[in-house]
Amino acid sequence: MRVCMESIVVAVSGMQPWYDEALAGVVACFLRAIAQGRAATAAREGPFLTG
């Protein structure tokens, strides 16, 4: 099963089709949340490391 959400594609196979789709959807949502969090941090602090 493959899920595409906001240009994030996750493929899962090996369980029942409805579990494959649910797991792929959850992973896509987690990846989207991580990307949004990092984008917010970069907007607030700048995209580059300083030190």
Side-chain angles (χ1 to χ4, degrees):
M1 180 61 61
R2 180 183 56 148
V3 172
C4 181
M5 177 185 300
E6 296 183 26
S7 299
I8 298 171
V9 178
V10 178
V12 176
S13 179
M15 296 183 279
Q16 297 295 333
W18 50 90
Y19 287 126
D20 291 345
E21 184 175 13
L23 182 58
V26 168
V27 170
C29 286
F30 277 131
L31 291 174
R32 183 178 62 178
I34 290 168
Q36 289 174 341
R38 289 184 181 177
T41 299
R44 186 175 57 252
E45 299 175 2
F48 301 106
L49 296 175
T50 58

